[in-house]
Amino acid sequence: MSTPTVMKDEVSQPQGPHGQPGSRDNGIHVWVLRILSALIVPGVLVLFFFTFEFLKDPNTNKLLQIATAIVVGVGGVWLMFWAMDRLTNPVPERAAAGVRPFVFVGPALILLGFYLVYPTVNTIILSFRDAAGEGFVGFDNYVRIFTENIYLISLRNSFMWAIIVPIFCVVFGLAVATLADLLPRKTEAIVKSLIFLPMAVSFVGATVVFFFLYTFRTPGFGDQIGLLNAIWEALGGTPVDWLRIPFWNNFFLMAILVWTQTGFAMVILSSAIKGVPDDLLEAARIDGANEWQVFRKITVPTIASTLVVVWTTILITTWKVYDIVAVGAQTNDSSVIAERMVTEFYTFRNSGVGSALAVVLLVLVTPILIINIKRFQEQEATR
């Protein structure tokens, strides 16, 4: 039998992960091209910033400013990427294959590094300095955070929020998603829309809504217009200033975040529940399992990874909560880490303690982000 002839070009040309020509050329000239291509877009954006000074001029026509921003920001960036791709094409294929990814991804990475990595590093450095951000004080700011009562209260409250809010959001979201799945299609859509509706409300708006729910008027200064006090009075109780009850006022503020985030949990979990194989559910019912057993032993284990993703996502939101406490808190014992951080920065002008609180928040959130990313990767791998 004759041996198949293999073309010389097919042997000599390296293959990529999908069988297409790839590049193993990592020479100095390729790395220079990669760095230059990644710096072009940020460099041009800086040029745009200094060129179009009139965009910041309050006397310039607003419509002209908007039109210029759209043309430059959208059309200009698209034109740059198109031109960079055209300039890359004439480069030898081995070098072009190694440079082209940096043309499109490199600028984003550089901008991300500038707007994310640099502030993070700078914040860590500031956390070891005094209130003015000048003198080095070592770990004094961290010692204050973990010893002074006002900061300990913020830490305690944040941990309470992180434990209670995600649990209630996931439980309520799972309950609504499960029960709505049993309803007729049109009714299900209406119920889910109503539950999801608070997601469209900002945290500040939601807090104002709940503020009217909790409103308290001192006896002698008019009728109680707060819904909660109206109900409480109808039951024979005396009006209560709900947002000033020590310790318990935190739970009234938590209810606002639960109200806004339950819809998010419901939508994601409803999608996961609909993805549970019908054959698996029917097999369990045929074996004699009731609906509660089917839910507990089939549905929940099947959507376990989605439950973790929803829980961690809401947990990250909970750690960073600021608006609700800043608008709704009536006493200092309702403070949380993010709210205290902003207060230290902009009210007390203490960049040292404010930065230290930001670092503590970063340390608390980072492991959750890692868990979330790993879960997403596991879900993608099973598809």
Side-chain angles (χ1 to χ4, degrees):
M1 294 178 64
S2 61
T3 303
T5 304
V6 181
M7 297 299 293
K8 182 178 179 181
D9 291 342
E10 294 177 356
V11 174
S12 61
Q13 195 170 24
Q15 299 294 311
H18 301 289
Q20 298 177 351
S23 173
R24 296 180 182 176
D25 192 347
N26 288 314
I28 297 297
H29 64 288
V30 174
W31 278 106
V32 171
L33 288 173
R34 288 173 175 173
I35 295 172
L36 291 176
S37 62
L39 289 173
I40 287 177
V41 173
V44 175
L45 291 177
V46 171
L47 180 63
F48 284 162
F49 176 78
F50 289 105
T51 302
F52 296 97
E53 284 291 327
F54 71 92
L55 289 176
K56 300 184 294 182
D57 187 352
N59 298 320
T60 305
N61 183 276
K62 300 302 179 183
L63 291 177
L64 179 60
Q65 288 181 326
I66 295 172
T68 304
I70 292 175
V71 171
V72 174
V74 179
V77 172
W78 175 85
L79 182 62
M80 280 190 298
F81 279 115
W82 177 83
M84 291 165 64
D85 183 59
R86 298 288 292 180
L87 291 173
T88 307
N89 288 335
V91 177
E93 182 59 30
R94 288 171 61 87
V99 172
R100 193 171 286 112
F102 286 80
V103 170
F104 296 100
V105 180
L109 293 176
I110 289 177
L111 291 174
L112 182 66
F114 180 77
Y115 287 107
L116 185 62
V117 177
Y118 168 73
T120 301
V121 174
N122 190 48
T123 300
I124 295 173
I125 294 173
L126 283 174
S127 70
F128 295 102
R129 293 180 176 176
D130 58 17
E134 298 174 354
F136 180 77
V137 296
F139 288 93
D140 289 357
N141 293 322
Y142 292 97
V143 172
R144 287 188 60 186
I145 290 174
F146 292 102
T147 56
E148 294 187 12
N149 189 54
I150 190 170
Y151 304 115
L152 291 176
I153 289 174
S154 299
L155 289 170
R156 180 204 67 185
N157 292 341
S158 288
F159 276 101
M160 286 170 49
W161 280 69
I163 294 172
I164 295 171
V165 172
I167 291 177
F168 275 87
C169 288
V170 172
V171 170
F172 288 160
L174 181 60
V176 174
T178 304
L179 296 175
D181 194 47
L182 304 175
L183 298 173
R185 185 175 297 274
K186 290 185 178 179
T187 307
E188 177 187 2
I190 294 173
V191 171
K192 288 183 176 179
S193 297
L194 293 175
I195 299 298
F196 186 77
L197 190 61
M199 280 288 295
V201 182
S202 68
F203 286 163
V204 173
T207 306
V208 172
V209 171
F210 271 74
F211 186 78
F212 288 107
L213 179 68
Y214 300 140
T215 294
F216 166 79
R217 283 182 176 176
T218 304
F221 287 87
D223 297 331
Q224 299 296 329
I225 62 173
L227 179 61
L228 203 55
N229 270 321
I231 296 173
W232 187 246
E233 276 191 316
L235 295 174
T238 56
V240 178
D241 193 351
W242 305 100
L243 294 179
R244 292 184 183 274
I245 304 175
F247 181 75
W248 295 102
N249 51 8
N250 291 287
F251 295 95
F252 295 111
L253 295 177
M254 291 179 199
I256 303 173
L257 188 57
V258 172
W259 182 64
T260 58
Q261 294 299 303
T262 296
F264 164 76
M266 176 206 65
V267 169
I268 305 300
L269 295 176
S270 177
S271 177
I273 289 172
K274 290 184 181 298
V276 178
D278 292 334
D279 295 342
L280 195 61
L281 299 175
E282 289 300 324
R285 293 188 181 103
I286 291 173
D287 288 340
N290 57 39
E291 291 302 320
W292 170 247
Q293 291 173 327
V294 170
F295 172 76
R296 184 166 57 90
K297 296 185 178 181
I298 303 297
T299 303
V300 172
T302 304
I303 66 171
S305 59
T306 306
L307 284 169
V308 173
V309 170
V310 171
W311 176 76
T312 52
T313 303
I314 296 176
L315 179 57
I316 293 171
T317 303
T318 304
W319 275 123
K320 300 186 299 179
V321 67
Y322 162 76
D323 316 60
I324 294 174
V325 177
V327 176
Q330 303 295 307
T331 59
N332 287 331
D333 62 353
S334 299
S335 177
V336 293
I337 294 177
E339 182 269 337
R340 176 54 52 184
M341 174 188 70
V342 175
T343 301
E344 292 291 339
F345 265 119
Y346 298 106
T347 302
F348 300 141
R349 302 293 180 182
N350 191 334
S351 61
V353 174
S355 298
L357 287 166
V359 172
V360 171
L361 191 60
L362 176 65
V363 171
L364 292 171
V365 170
T366 300
I368 307 168
L369 288 173
I370 295 173
I371 293 173
N372 228 4
I373 293 172
K374 288 184 177 181
R375 285 292 180 177
F376 275 123
Q377 291 175 340
E378 291 174 1
Q379 285 184 335
E380 290 296 325
T382 56
R383 291 183 178 179

